[in-house]
Amino acid sequence: MLLDYKYIAALAIRAQNNDSIAFTELYALTHQKEYAFACNYLKDPVLAQDAIQETYIRAYKNISQLKDTSRFVSWLHSINFRVCYTMLEKKKIPKKILEKNLTATS
């Protein structure tokens, strides 16, 4: 599915103005791609669901800090990456596996 970045930017502006319906639509437009990334990175669909939940909670709480709404998708992805990375660190995955995951997503 191709994303309409101008539409997403307009939704992000609305979400910054406390429009929960706009944020819900942002979720609907982006969650599949972000979930696929989390599944691939974490190699665990249940853990990926937790990561996605945390990603969107952080995005919702911090959307007012997003200065350029045209970068919403990359901003969201960076949150998702950090959440997934932290989850792997907390699981204390051996360093070789972690490095393999990092190079696979680069």
Side-chain angles (χ1 to χ4, degrees):
M1 172 173 74
L2 292 175
L3 297 175
D4 181 347
Y5 291 98
K6 287 183 181 181
Y7 182 62
I8 288 173
L11 288 172
I13 290 168
R14 288 177 39 206
Q16 287 178 325
N17 291 314
N18 299 317
D19 184 339
S20 60
I21 294 171
F23 192 84
T24 301
E25 193 163 352
L26 286 169
Y27 172 83
L29 291 170
T30 59
H31 81 280
Q32 288 178 329
K33 193 171 188 176
E34 293 303 321
Y35 176 71
F37 169 81
C39 279
N40 186 46
Y41 191 84
L42 296 169
K43 309 292 187 222
D44 180 341
V46 174
L47 197 56
Q49 289 173 349
D50 291 343
I52 292 304
Q53 181 176 1
E54 181 62 25
T55 295
Y56 282 94
I57 288 170
R58 288 184 188 185
Y60 186 79
K61 287 181 177 179
N62 295 299
I63 196 160
S64 63
Q65 296 176 11
L66 178 62
K67 298 195 186 334
D68 182 358
T69 56
S70 69
R71 304 216 13 102
F72 175 82
V73 174
S74 58
W75 176 75
L76 179 69
H77 188 72
S78 70
I79 294 170
N80 192 15
F81 172 79
R82 287 191 306 272
V83 167
C84 290
Y85 182 84
T86 301
M87 286 182 157
L88 281 182
E89 287 291 303
K90 286 182 179 177
K91 282 183 70 174
K92 299 186 190 232
I93 303 259
K95 192 173 183 177
K96 283 185 180 181
I97 295 172
L98 181 60
E99 288 172 353
K100 180 181 173 187
N101 283 343
L102 284 175
T103 54
T105 60
S106 297

